[in-house]
């Protein structure tokens, strides 16, 4: 189990864009009904070999009734990526 209890930064800078973590999380939740509401976290992760560059990473808890098959997880990733990118 992994419990997120807080974050160091509420504002993320990814590829020169300033993003509010809560806005990104809300977009992911709105675009994917397979995720549990309030159980998504957006965080910056450093890129290996590029000290000043960060990537956006999203972690989310999948609803209990959603099967954890490779196909279902790929669909979730696609839905989240599309909703956050738009």
């Amino acid at each position: 189990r992994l419990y997120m209890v807080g974050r160091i930064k509420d504002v993320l800078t990814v590829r020169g864009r300033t993003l509010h973590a809560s806005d990104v999380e809300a977009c992911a939740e709105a675009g994917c009904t397979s995720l549990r509401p309030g159980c998504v976290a957006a965080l910056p992760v450093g890129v290996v070999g590029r000290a000043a560059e960060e990537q956006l990473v999203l972690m989310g808890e999948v609803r209990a009734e959603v099967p954890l098959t490779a196909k279902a997880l790929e669909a979730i990733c696609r839905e989240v990526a599309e909703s956050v990118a738009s």
Side-chain angles (χ1 to χ4, degrees):
R1 294 184 186 246
L2 176 65
Y3 295 97
M4 301 287 290
V5 295
R7 69 173 100 234
I8 294 172
K9 301 187 318 185
D10 288 325
V11 178
L12 314 173
T13 303
V14 179
R15 295 186 189 150
R17 292 183 59 199
T18 301
L19 307 168
H20 292 270
S22 58
D23 292 343
V24 175
E25 293 160 356
C27 284
E29 289 177 17
C32 184
T33 57
S34 296
L35 297 176
R36 286 190 59 208
C39 296
V40 175
L43 52 134
V45 173
V47 177
V48 175
R50 298 183 188 161
E53 188 176 339
E54 293 181 325
Q55 290 183 334
L56 175 64
V57 173
L58 288 163
M59 297 188 314
E61 184 176 343
V62 178
R63 293 178 184 266
E65 62 272 11
V66 176
L68 294 179
T69 63
K71 189 174 182 176
L73 293 175
E74 286 174 10
I76 291 168
C77 290
R78 188 173 40 257
E79 289 173 8
V80 169
E82 289 172 1
S83 64
V84 171
S86 61

